[in-house]
Amino acid sequence: MDLTPYGPPGRRIVEEVLAQLAEDDLEPDARDRALLDTAARLADRMAQLRDLVAEDGERSVSESGIVRLHPGIAEHRNHAVSLAKVCLLYTSPSPRDRTRSRMPSSA
């Protein structure tokens, strides 16, 4: 799987999952690659949002004195929920192997 389009957070996710698959003597199928791509892109976007919020500050005050949270905070939260859902989809049984759990071994 080509890791070129991903930043460090996305590459880390893909590398860890591919290593686990290799340890279990499995190759990623199309479903695996699609879920890994989505997870990697979400992780990269979350890192960008964290940097943006850190640069701009978490809050802004309007001319009328209203304090607002940075919109990147809500977007980061939404991406975190999406990433969790993608991870749950990934760990669910693959249609190619319904009898085997996709959860990484804890050993």
Side-chain angles (χ1 to χ4, degrees):
M1 186 167 180
D2 182 20
L3 301 178
T4 307
Y6 310 123
R11 275 195 301 273
R12 186 174 61 247
I13 288 175
V14 173
E15 288 170 348
E16 288 177 8
V17 171
L18 290 177
Q20 183 64 47
L21 285 173
E23 187 177 303
D24 294 338
D25 292 325
L26 295 172
E27 290 287 325
D29 61 11
R31 176 183 182 261
D32 295 334
R33 287 189 296 275
L35 290 171
L36 283 174
D37 178 66
T38 301
R41 291 180 190 280
L42 284 167
D44 286 344
R45 182 64 180 143
M46 288 171 67
Q48 292 170 344
L49 289 166
R50 278 191 302 272
D51 292 344
L52 183 64
V53 170
E55 181 180 315
D56 294 347
E58 289 186 6
R59 295 175 190 85
S60 63
V61 180
S62 70
E63 291 180 13
S64 62
I66 297 174
V67 178
R68 292 192 173 98
L69 283 178
H70 193 293
I73 293 171
E75 188 170 342
H76 184 279
R77 185 180 318 121
N78 289 335
H79 279 62
V81 169
S82 295
L83 182 57
K85 288 178 181 179
V86 168
C87 291
L88 284 173
L89 282 173
Y90 184 79
T91 58
S92 66
S94 173
R96 68 183 173 167
D97 188 6
R98 294 186 186 276
T99 61
R100 188 170 174 189
S101 171
R102 308 251 332 176
M103 291 296 288
S105 60
S106 58

